[in-house]
Coordinates of all heavy atoms in Angstrom, one line a residue:
L21 N -6.9 89.2 -15.5 CA -6.3 89.7 -14.3 C -5.8 88.5 -13.5 O -6.4 87.5 -13.4 CB -7.4 90.4 -13.4 CG -7.0 90.8 -12.0 CD1 -6.1 92.0 -12.0 CD2 -8.3 91.1 -11.2
R22 N -4.6 88.7 -12.9 CA -4.0 87.6 -12.1 C -3.5 88.3 -10.8 O -2.7 89.3 -10.9 CB -2.9 86.8 -12.8 CG -2.3 85.8 -11.8 CD -1.4 84.9 -12.5 NE -2.2 83.9 -13.2 CZ -1.8 83.1 -14.2 NH1 -0.6 83.2 -14.6 NH2 -2.6 82.3 -14.8
V23 N -3.9 87.8 -9.7 CA -3.4 88.3 -8.4 C -2.8 87.2 -7.7 O -3.4 86.1 -7.5 CB -4.5 89.0 -7.6 CG1 -4.0 89.4 -6.2 CG2 -5.2 90.1 -8.3
R24 N -1.6 87.3 -7.2 CA -0.9 86.3 -6.4 C -0.4 86.9 -5.1 O 0.2 87.9 -5.0 CB 0.3 85.8 -7.2 CG 1.1 84.7 -6.4 CD 2.3 84.2 -7.1 NE 1.9 83.5 -8.4 CZ 2.7 83.4 -9.4 NH1 3.9 83.9 -9.4 NH2 2.2 82.8 -10.5
I25 N -0.7 86.1 -4.0 CA -0.3 86.5 -2.7 C 0.5 85.4 -2.1 O 0.1 84.2 -2.1 CB -1.5 86.8 -1.8 CG1 -2.3 88.0 -2.3 CG2 -1.1 87.1 -0.3 CD1 -3.6 88.3 -1.6
T26 N 1.7 85.7 -1.6 CA 2.6 84.7 -1.0 C 2.8 85.1 0.4 O 3.1 86.2 0.7 CB 3.9 84.7 -1.8 OG1 3.7 84.4 -3.2 CG2 4.8 83.6 -1.2
E27 N 2.5 84.1 1.3 CA 2.6 84.3 2.7 C 3.6 83.4 3.3 O 3.5 82.2 3.2 CB 1.3 84.1 3.4 CG 0.1 84.9 2.9 CD -1.2 84.5 3.5 OE1 -1.5 84.9 4.6 OE2 -1.9 83.8 2.8
Q28 N 4.6 84.0 4.0 CA 5.6 83.2 4.8 C 5.1 83.0 6.2 O 4.9 84.0 6.9 CB 6.9 83.9 4.8 CG 7.5 84.2 3.4 CD 7.9 82.9 2.7 OE1 8.3 81.9 3.3 NE2 7.8 83.0 1.4
Q29 N 4.8 81.8 6.6 CA 4.3 81.5 7.9 C 5.2 80.5 8.6 O 6.1 79.9 7.9 CB 2.9 81.0 7.8 CG 1.9 81.9 7.2 CD 0.5 81.4 7.2 OE1 0.2 80.3 7.7 NE2 -0.4 82.2 6.6
D30 N 5.0 80.2 9.9 CA 5.7 79.2 10.6 C 5.6 77.8 9.9 O 6.5 77.0 10.0 CB 5.3 79.1 12.0 CG 5.6 80.4 12.8 OD1 6.5 81.2 12.4 OD2 5.0 80.6 13.9
T31 N 4.5 77.6 9.3 CA 4.2 76.3 8.7 C 4.8 76.1 7.3 O 4.8 75.1 6.7 CB 2.7 76.0 8.6 OG1 2.1 77.0 7.9 CG2 2.1 75.9 10.0
G32 N 5.3 77.2 6.8 CA 5.9 77.2 5.4 C 5.3 78.3 4.6 O 4.7 79.3 5.1
T33 N 5.5 78.2 3.3 CA 5.0 79.3 2.3 C 3.7 78.9 1.7 O 3.5 77.8 1.2 CB 6.1 79.5 1.2 OG1 7.3 79.8 1.8 CG2 5.6 80.5 0.2
W34 N 2.7 79.8 1.8 CA 1.4 79.6 1.3 C 1.2 80.5 0.1 O 1.5 81.7 0.2 CB 0.3 79.9 2.3 CG 0.3 78.9 3.4 CD1 1.1 78.8 4.5 CD2 -0.7 77.9 3.6 NE1 0.8 77.8 5.3 CE2 -0.3 77.2 4.8 CE3 -1.8 77.4 2.9 CZ2 -1.0 76.1 5.3 CZ3 -2.5 76.3 3.3 CH2 -2.1 75.7 4.5
T35 N 0.8 80.0 -1.0 CA 0.6 80.9 -2.2 C -0.9 80.8 -2.7 O -1.4 79.7 -2.9 CB 1.5 80.5 -3.4 OG1 2.9 80.5 -2.9 CG2 1.4 81.4 -4.6
T36 N -1.5 81.9 -2.8 CA -2.9 82.0 -3.3 C -2.8 82.8 -4.6 O -2.3 83.9 -4.6 CB -3.8 82.7 -2.3 OG1 -3.7 82.0 -1.0 CG2 -5.2 82.7 -2.8
Q37 N -3.4 82.2 -5.6 CA -3.4 82.9 -6.9 C -4.8 82.9 -7.5 O -5.5 81.8 -7.6 CB -2.5 82.2 -7.9 CG -2.4 82.8 -9.3 CD -1.2 82.2 -10.1 OE1 -0.1 82.6 -9.9 NE2 -1.6 81.3 -11.0
L38 N -5.3 84.1 -7.9 CA -6.6 84.2 -8.5 C -6.4 84.7 -9.9 O -5.8 85.8 -10.1 CB -7.5 85.2 -7.7 CG -8.9 85.5 -8.2 CD1 -9.7 84.2 -8.1 CD2 -9.5 86.6 -7.5
T39 N -7.0 84.0 -10.9 CA -6.9 84.4 -12.3 C -8.4 84.6 -12.8 O -9.2 83.7 -12.6 CB -6.2 83.4 -13.1 OG1 -4.9 83.1 -12.6 CG2 -6.1 83.8 -14.6

Side-chain angles (χ1 to χ4, degrees):
L21 170 74
R22 176 168 286 161
V23 178
R24 179 181 295 155
I25 298 172
T26 305
E27 302 173 78
Q28 301 294 329
Q29 298 181 6
D30 293 340
T31 57
T33 302
W34 293 77
T35 302
T36 303
Q37 182 170 278
L38 178 67
T39 304

